[in-house]
mmCIF file of all heavy atoms in Angstrom:
data_model
loop_
_atom_site.group_PDB
_atom_site.id
_atom_site.type_symbol
_atom_site.label_atom_id
_atom_site.label_comp_id
_atom_site.label_asym_id
_atom_site.label_seq_id
_atom_site.Cartn_x
_atom_site.Cartn_y
_atom_site.Cartn_z
ATOM 1 N N ILE A 427 181.291 64.732 109.994
ATOM 2 C CA ILE A 427 179.922 64.652 109.483
ATOM 3 C C ILE A 427 179.633 63.259 108.941
ATOM 4 O O ILE A 427 178.562 62.688 109.183
ATOM 5 C CB ILE A 427 179.706 65.724 108.396
ATOM 6 C CG1 ILE A 427 179.762 67.121 109.037
ATOM 7 C CG2 ILE A 427 178.368 65.514 107.685
ATOM 8 C CD1 ILE A 427 179.868 68.247 108.041
ATOM 9 N N LYS A 428 180.599 62.659 108.253
ATOM 10 C CA LYS A 428 180.411 61.299 107.739
ATOM 11 C C LYS A 428 180.292 60.292 108.885
ATOM 12 O O LYS A 428 179.505 59.338 108.816
ATOM 13 C CB LYS A 428 181.568 60.939 106.808
ATOM 14 C CG LYS A 428 181.504 61.643 105.454
ATOM 15 C CD LYS A 428 182.799 61.516 104.673
ATOM 16 C CE LYS A 428 183.149 60.089 104.367
ATOM 17 N NZ LYS A 428 184.405 59.987 103.586
ATOM 18 N N GLU A 429 181.057 60.500 109.951
ATOM 19 C CA GLU A 429 180.955 59.629 111.123
ATOM 20 C C GLU A 429 179.546 59.693 111.714
ATOM 21 O O GLU A 429 178.962 58.665 112.077
ATOM 22 C CB GLU A 429 181.970 60.046 112.187
ATOM 23 C CG GLU A 429 183.419 59.716 111.868
ATOM 24 C CD GLU A 429 184.349 60.198 112.961
ATOM 25 O OE1 GLU A 429 183.842 60.555 114.057
ATOM 26 O OE2 GLU A 429 185.576 60.247 112.738
ATOM 27 N N VAL A 430 179.014 60.904 111.816
ATOM 28 C CA VAL A 430 177.679 61.085 112.383
ATOM 29 C C VAL A 430 176.625 60.447 111.493
ATOM 30 O O VAL A 430 175.705 59.774 111.977
ATOM 31 C CB VAL A 430 177.377 62.588 112.581
ATOM 32 C CG1 VAL A 430 175.913 62.791 112.979
ATOM 33 C CG2 VAL A 430 178.308 63.185 113.624
ATOM 34 N N LEU A 431 176.739 60.642 110.190
ATOM 35 C CA LEU A 431 175.779 60.047 109.257
ATOM 36 C C LEU A 431 175.780 58.526 109.382
ATOM 37 O O LEU A 431 174.718 57.885 109.378
ATOM 38 C CB LEU A 431 176.121 60.454 107.820
ATOM 39 C CG LEU A 431 175.890 61.934 107.480
ATOM 40 C CD1 LEU A 431 176.528 62.275 106.135
ATOM 41 C CD2 LEU A 431 174.404 62.261 107.454
ATOM 42 N N THR A 432 176.955 57.947 109.518
ATOM 43 C CA THR A 432 177.066 56.494 109.677
ATOM 44 C C THR A 432 176.461 56.055 111.008
ATOM 45 O O THR A 432 175.720 55.076 111.079
ATOM 46 C CB THR A 432 178.538 56.050 109.602
ATOM 47 O OG1 THR A 432 179.086 56.439 108.339
ATOM 48 C CG2 THR A 432 178.664 54.553 109.761
ATOM 49 N N GLU A 433 176.765 56.796 112.084
ATOM 50 C CA GLU A 433 176.255 56.463 113.415
ATOM 51 C C GLU A 433 174.733 56.523 113.450
ATOM 52 O O GLU A 433 174.085 55.688 114.104
ATOM 53 C CB GLU A 433 176.840 57.435 114.440
ATOM 54 C CG GLU A 433 176.408 57.180 115.863
ATOM 55 C CD GLU A 433 177.060 58.138 116.848
ATOM 56 O OE1 GLU A 433 178.258 58.440 116.679
ATOM 57 O OE2 GLU A 433 176.368 58.571 117.779
ATOM 58 N N LEU A 434 174.155 57.498 112.748
ATOM 59 C CA LEU A 434 172.699 57.661 112.731
ATOM 60 C C LEU A 434 172.033 56.821 111.652
ATOM 61 O O LEU A 434 170.830 56.931 111.434
ATOM 62 C CB LEU A 434 172.343 59.138 112.536
ATOM 63 C CG LEU A 434 172.811 60.096 113.636
ATOM 64 C CD1 LEU A 434 172.436 61.530 113.287
ATOM 65 C CD2 LEU A 434 172.217 59.698 114.985
ATOM 66 N N GLN A 435 172.835 55.980 110.997
ATOM 67 C CA GLN A 435 172.336 55.067 109.967
ATOM 68 C C GLN A 435 171.640 55.811 108.832
ATOM 69 O O GLN A 435 170.615 55.382 108.309
ATOM 70 C CB GLN A 435 171.401 54.017 110.587
ATOM 71 C CG GLN A 435 172.092 53.171 111.641
ATOM 72 C CD GLN A 435 171.199 52.093 112.229
ATOM 73 O OE1 GLN A 435 169.978 52.185 112.200
ATOM 74 N NE2 GLN A 435 171.804 51.046 112.763
ATOM 75 N N LYS A 436 172.230 56.934 108.450
ATOM 76 C CA LYS A 436 171.746 57.690 107.298
ATOM 77 C C LYS A 436 172.402 57.144 106.033
ATOM 78 O O LYS A 436 173.521 56.632 106.077
ATOM 79 C CB LYS A 436 172.098 59.173 107.448
ATOM 80 C CG LYS A 436 171.497 59.856 108.670
ATOM 81 C CD LYS A 436 170.036 60.155 108.468
ATOM 82 C CE LYS A 436 169.474 60.987 109.620
ATOM 83 N NZ LYS A 436 168.038 61.289 109.421
#
Side-chain angles (χ1 to χ4, degrees):
I427 293 167
K428 287 167 61 179
E429 287 179 13
V430 172
L431 291 168
T432 301
E433 181 178 320
L434 298 178
Q435 300 182 337
K436 299 284 187 180

